[in-house]
Amino acid sequence: MWCSVTATCASDVPVKQRIGVLGGTFDPVHFGHLRSAIEVHEALALDELRLLPSARPPHRGQPGCSAEQRLQMVRLAIQGASGLQVDDRELRRETPSWTVDTLHSLREELGQQPAIFLVLGWDAFCGLPGWSRWEQLLELANLVVLQRPDCDLDLPEVLKDLLAARTTEAAVADASHGQIICLAQTPLAISATRIRELLGSGRSVRYLLPDAILDYINQHGLYRP
Ligand code: ATP
């Protein structure tokens, strides 16, 4: 099911603009997010991949620091990373951060022509049936599902059917929306939950996230008990 990022992918079919979107709480951003972002960008020959922090994540408790701080950490993390950008549209909105609304907003900005690739880790993909108006997501974007070595959730039946019907090889994924691509990337068992736990118990998180983020966390006294 998983297609490898080492395969020659869609670089020979640059028919339309190709935009990736990796949404998340980024509480804080870590190498699991960043390495995945780079590998998806390359595997799908994207023009850009946007990291899109959620302001008010509807499916989880209050983040460990403010939306502005999470946004600032994402900005710091991608400095100098070619092809990666930050999209702060969810922080500019007053309403909850429903992904379907975010994709509508992206379509308003980009139009119908570009291929949009919504990137989800396996855990997020398994939780999709709990998302608001989730069936509409494939009318607005393609889905890119990433392996997560730290997650062994079972796929709900409804998603098994969806995968069977919509899965496409990365090398031929050129629709503007409606396709699902399962990508194997460098497996990194890093989670923000674990990073917050380590910081909360006074332990080191060095080498789990960029030094610039660690400096920011220390300067602002984030995630401490
Ligand atoms: P938390 O532990 O607080 O739930 P997280 O580490 O899962 O956070 P999120 O900001 O919730 O990070 O994740 C944003 C997106 O990145 C999600 O789709 C998630 O599945 C994916 N993701 C996060 N960490 C990894 C990883 N190590 N490998 C692959 N995908 C990841």
Side-chain angles (χ1 to χ4, degrees):
M1 161 171 121
W2 302 100
C3 61
S4 165
V5 295
T6 54
T8 303
C9 284
S11 52
D12 53 343
V13 283
V15 282
K16 51 172 81 104
Q17 209 186 1
R18 298 165 69 84
I19 308 293
V21 179
L22 173 58
T25 315
F26 303 117
D27 188 27
V29 64
H30 54 68
F31 283 136
H33 302 126
L34 296 165
R35 185 64 209 165
S36 297
I38 294 278
E39 294 191 9
V40 170
H41 183 272
E42 290 182 347
L44 291 171
L46 300 181
D47 295 296
E48 63 186 51
L49 187 140
R50 302 184 184 188
L51 286 91
L52 201 149
S54 166
R56 296 164 201 80
H59 300 285
R60 51 187 294 151
Q62 206 47 29
C65 62
S66 73
E68 277 305 327
Q69 287 171 325
R70 291 182 288 108
L71 173 66
Q72 184 56 22
M73 287 191 276
V74 175
R75 286 216 166 100
L76 281 172
I78 64 158
Q79 261 177 15
S82 155
L84 301 191
Q85 305 209 350
V86 181
D87 189 319
D88 67 354
R89 76 187 56 227
E90 290 194 355
L91 273 67
R92 290 186 265 114
R93 206 162 76 200
E94 294 301 319
T95 47
S97 303
W98 299 117
T99 300
V100 66
D101 296 329
T102 301
L103 291 178
H104 275 298
S105 155
L106 272 166
R107 280 290 172 205
E108 272 167 33
E109 176 198 329
L110 300 168
Q112 298 308 311
Q113 179 72 4
I116 297 181
F117 296 89
L118 178 67
V119 183
L120 301 167
W122 182 253
D123 56 319
F125 182 63
C126 289
L128 213 58
W131 293 20
S132 177
R133 292 157 287 152
W134 70 276
E135 296 94 335
Q136 287 180 27
L137 297 176
L138 278 165
E139 294 166 17
L140 295 159
N142 301 294
L143 300 185
V144 179
V145 185
L146 303 177
Q147 289 174 310
R148 263 194 95 159
D150 52 346
C151 165
D152 59 358
L153 290 176
D154 287 334
L155 195 63
E157 285 302 319
V158 61
L159 294 182
K160 286 184 189 162
D161 295 343
L162 192 70
L163 268 186
R166 302 294 191 106
T167 297
T168 307
E169 290 291 315
V172 293
D174 63 350
S176 62
H177 64 278
Q179 300 179 322
I180 302 180
I181 302 108
C182 295
L183 270 189
Q185 83 284 17
T186 304
L188 292 172
I190 303 174
S191 75
T193 300
R194 182 71 183 137
I195 289 173
R196 293 193 301 275
E197 282 169 2
L198 290 170
L199 287 165
S201 58
R203 292 160 72 189
S204 172
V205 295
R206 189 168 292 282
Y207 309 132
L208 295 176
L209 38 64
D211 285 347
I213 307 307
L214 187 50
D215 291 345
Y216 185 93
I217 288 171
N218 288 334
Q219 277 161 19
H220 293 81
L222 303 179
Y223 308 116
R224 302 298 176 197

